[in-house]
Structures are given as C-alpha cells and as structure tokens.
Amino acid sequence: MLNINKKKIAVSIFFTAFAFGLNIVGISPVLGIVNEKYQQYGTSAIQLLQTIQYLLIMIGSLMIGWLTTKISKKKIVLIGLAIIGICGLMPFFSDSFWVLVASRVLIGFGFGITGPMNTAIAAELIPEEERAGYMGLHVVGMGIGTMAGSMLGGTLAGFSYRNYYLVYLIPFIAMVGVQALLVETPPTKTEKASDMKLNKMVYLISFASFAHTLFINAYSTNIGIYIAENISNNPGLAGMVTSVNAAFALGTGMIFSKISAVLKNFTLPFSILTAAVGYGLVLTVHGMAGVLIVSALCGVSLSCFMATGSYLLSISVEQEAVAKASGLFSIIGGIGGLIAPIFMGNAARIVLGENTAVNQFVIAFFGMLSFGVIAAVIMMKKKENK
C-alpha cells in the first residue's frame, strides 16, 4: 500500500459518490411533469428516460479495465464528473425532447467510467479489512447526493421544471474536491486489460446486480407517476419522497459495516428482501404512508446491495483486476436498468392486463421476493459447505 492520507481518500470517495448519487435520482422528481409535457411519446418512452443512461454506462464500464492501463484513476474520475455535469445541464438550456434524450443517453458514459472507480481506489489504497467501511462511505455519499439532488431539484422545479437540471452543477463541485484530495497513482501495470483475471464470484455478483437493478428501477421509474396520478402533481412532493429514499440509503451506508458484521453472508439476501417488503407495503398501505414506506425500504435495499456487491468484488480478485470487475458489475447491472421499463411494462401488461405503476409494483414485489429467496438458499448452502 502507498503511504497516503486515508482521511483525504475517504473524502474524495465521498465527493465522487455524492455526484454519482445523481444517477439514482435521474429525472424522477420531474418525471410526472415530463410525462404530461411529452405525452405524445407515450409513458413507456418517458419512463425509459429515467434508465436510458444505462446504454452508455455499459460502454463506459466496459472500457474501465483498458482505461486504467492508460491513465490514472484520478483522471478517469475527473473526466467522468465533467461529462456528468455538462450533459446533465443540457436540458436546462433547451426545451426540446430530443435534447433531453441526448442528455440522458450521453450522461451514461460519465456515470459508466466514474461508478467503478471508488471500489478500485479503495482496493488499491485501503487494506482489505478496512474496505467495508469505505464501501459504506461510498453509499453514504450516494445517499447524500441523491437526497441533495432530489430536495434541491424538487424545489427548483417548483419555479420552473427546467430549473431542476441545475442540480447538475454538483459534479463540478465534486471535481474540485477530488482534484484537491485524491492522490495521483500511476496507471495499472499490466500488458492489457485481458490480463486482469476475473472469477466465478464476479459473474455471480454481477448477475445479482442485473436482477436487483431490474426490479429496483420499478420504484424510480414509477413513483413520480404514481404520486402524480394518485396523490398530487406537485414536483416538490416527488422530490421529497425521493429524498426519503436517499435518507434511508444514507443511514444504511453509515452503519453498513455493522450490518455486514451481524448478517455476514446473509447481507445480500437481506438487501433484496427489504425491497420486496417495501413493494408489498405500498400495495397494501395506500396514500402517502405507503409511498414513504416503499421509498425508505428501497433506499435501504439499494444502499445495502451496492455496498455488499462492491465489497465482495474488492476481495474476490487481485487488486489490479478490481476496476475491471467493477466495470463488469456495472455493465450487467446496466443491462437490467436499461431493459427495466420495457420488461416491467410488458410484464405488467401481459400478466396483469395493463401497464400501470401499481401493476409494475406487483411484478417488482414477486420478482424481488423470488430473487431474495434464491439468494438466501444459495448463501445457506455456501455456509454449510464451509
């Protein structure tokens, strides 16, 4: 390990995660307004705007292994943050639907090359026994970034919905912090990215990311529409609900090292089943109470899952392969996010007869429940084998 200041590394990880939290927020606080404004394109197309960035997230993540052999991790983070900020601000300057589409697509590349970096940085600079805490800090940063984006964006959108996009000034603030605090390390010393060996565990964790992302996105793509159709069309309310989601994600990140110490192998099933409980309750507890419950429990689920997945990746492969493993994790998870609106919409229509927010929550409930039970069985067998 290099002789570095761990506090500075911790703060730089927080800054990066803070900006990355905007990927979770997306445009959910204004999705109900956007759905009405561009209704000629259909609800499914509007929902896709919340997840379409996964297309280039996958491309960016696919390039991570190669990029780390060419330039430093610090430079990758700074480039990614700049892309997120520039693309995120684009719709502020234009009311065109196609500018919004371009913004949501292109921003994915920034998220794609930024997302895996905190795991790779922790693997390079932090001892293995301390990494769970840093992965918890990563999800804390994402939680605060999501909460800030939701609350600030919802407030700004109350004046004019296009003002929401001013939240994408956040990545530029993060760039200043990363530039000042993150140590510069040389590119990975390997002949080529293909020399970075992955293993079975990486693929299993990545598949889990696919399933979790597929079903957790039912929350982000539907909660704004659900509120607009059933409770209120006030974007500030949608922003507040997303903030509750982020607050619980934040709290979970703060105590993640303790959660993982208690649950051990069952941390992963816990993270999945928590979301299933949330979807079940929003379907049975009507009004804002159900909305707040599902927001809280999906926040816990996402935070716990991301921290668990990142930690498992960091200890499953050699240090020089962690960035590539994290990239694969993002790619496969990204596929789940990209197809989520189409898959969930069609599943709701085929199984339940109509593509509505409520019906997508039903599909997500049974999907998360089944996935969580399977994960629990696998973990029990793994424990028995030990």
Side-chain angles (χ1 to χ4, degrees):
M1 294 293 172
L2 296 174
N3 182 22
I4 48 91
N5 186 321
K6 291 181 182 178
K7 289 184 179 179
K8 288 186 176 181
I9 297 302
V11 177
S12 69
I13 283 176
F14 173 84
F15 272 118
T16 303
F18 182 80
F20 192 80
L22 294 173
N23 183 43
I24 300 169
V25 183
I27 58 170
S28 59
V30 292
L31 202 58
I33 296 174
V34 171
N35 187 46
E36 288 188 3
K37 183 174 180 61
Y38 303 111
Q39 58 185 298
Q40 68 269 32
Y41 297 100
T43 298
S44 293
I46 299 304
Q47 288 177 318
L48 193 60
L49 290 172
Q50 176 67 12
T51 60
I52 199 170
Q53 75 273 14
Y54 283 108
L55 186 63
L56 285 193
I57 283 178
M58 291 186 287
I59 301 299
S61 299
L62 186 64
M63 296 175 61
I64 281 297
W66 174 78
L67 280 174
T68 58
T69 67
K70 304 300 179 184
I71 57 177
S72 71
K73 295 178 179 65
K74 179 175 181 176
K75 286 187 175 67
I76 294 172
V77 171
L78 292 173
I79 292 169
L81 291 173
I83 293 171
I84 294 168
I86 292 168
C87 293
L89 284 170
M90 284 168 56
F92 174 73
F93 298 101
S94 173
D95 205 28
S96 167
F97 175 74
W98 297 110
V99 169
L100 177 56
V101 171
S103 164
R104 298 299 300 151
V105 172
L106 296 175
I107 201 171
F109 189 78
F111 286 125
I113 65 174
T114 303
M117 283 296 97
N118 274 349
T119 304
I121 288 165
E124 181 178 18
L125 302 174
I126 304 300
E128 183 176 312
E129 64 273 12
E130 298 178 31
R131 287 178 200 162
Y134 282 80
M135 292 304 94
L137 178 64
H138 173 71
V139 295
V140 166
M142 285 198 301
I144 294 179
T146 303
M147 189 162 50
S150 300
M151 293 182 68
L152 179 60
T155 301
L156 291 170
F159 298 99
S160 169
Y161 92 96
R162 276 168 59 186
N163 286 346
Y164 169 76
Y165 302 107
L166 290 174
V167 298
Y168 284 95
L169 292 170
I170 288 175
F172 297 110
I173 298 171
M175 286 179 70
V176 175
V178 171
Q179 176 62 40
L181 298 169
L182 183 58
V183 63
E184 187 85 48
T185 57
T188 301
K189 294 180 180 178
T190 185
E191 290 291 324
K192 49 190 176 182
S194 59
D195 291 337
M196 304 173 185
K197 302 297 182 183
L198 305 183
N199 55 32
K200 181 181 177 181
M201 179 59 72
V202 172
Y203 291 99
L204 285 173
I205 298 168
S206 297
F207 175 76
S209 177
F210 168 83
H212 188 269
T213 307
L214 182 69
F215 295 119
I216 203 72
N217 268 289
Y219 168 80
S220 62
T221 57
N222 284 283
I223 199 67
I225 294 172
Y226 178 84
I227 292 170
E229 290 179 346
N230 297 281
I231 300 173
S232 170
N233 201 29
N234 181 358
L237 185 60
M240 182 270 288
V241 166
T242 310
S243 296
V244 169
N245 175 267
F248 275 82
L250 168 63
T252 302
M254 285 179 167
I255 61 172
F256 173 71
S257 59
K258 294 181 180 179
I259 293 173
S260 62
V262 172
L263 296 178
K264 296 183 172 60
N265 285 347
F266 294 97
T267 308
L268 191 66
F270 167 79
S271 70
I272 300 162
L273 292 171
T274 301
V277 173
Y279 286 131
L281 289 174
V282 76
L283 293 167
T284 53
V285 180
H286 300 296
M288 278 304 297
V291 168
L292 292 172
I293 291 170
V294 72
S295 298
L297 293 183
C298 282
V300 172
S301 175
L302 181 61
S303 179
C304 197
F305 183 87
M306 292 303 296
T308 303
S310 297
Y311 172 69
L312 291 174
L313 288 175
S314 77
I315 63 172
S316 297
V317 294
E318 296 296 328
Q319 179 267 313
E320 65 270 13
V322 171
K324 184 178 180 180
S326 297
L328 181 68
F329 179 77
S330 296
I331 291 166
I332 297 180
I335 295 172
L338 184 64
I339 70 170
I342 298 170
F343 173 84
M344 297 298 291
N346 286 328
R349 184 165 44 251
I350 293 168
V351 177
L352 301 172
E354 187 179 7
N355 178 18
T356 65
V358 170
N359 286 350
Q360 286 202 29
F361 288 152
V362 172
I363 299 297
F365 166 71
F366 284 106
M368 280 294 197
L369 182 63
S370 302
F371 177 38
V373 170
I374 292 170
V377 170
I378 291 172
M379 289 303 176
M380 280 190 285
K381 288 184 177 179
K382 184 177 179 182
K383 185 178 180 181
E384 289 172 2
N385 291 337
K386 285 186 176 180

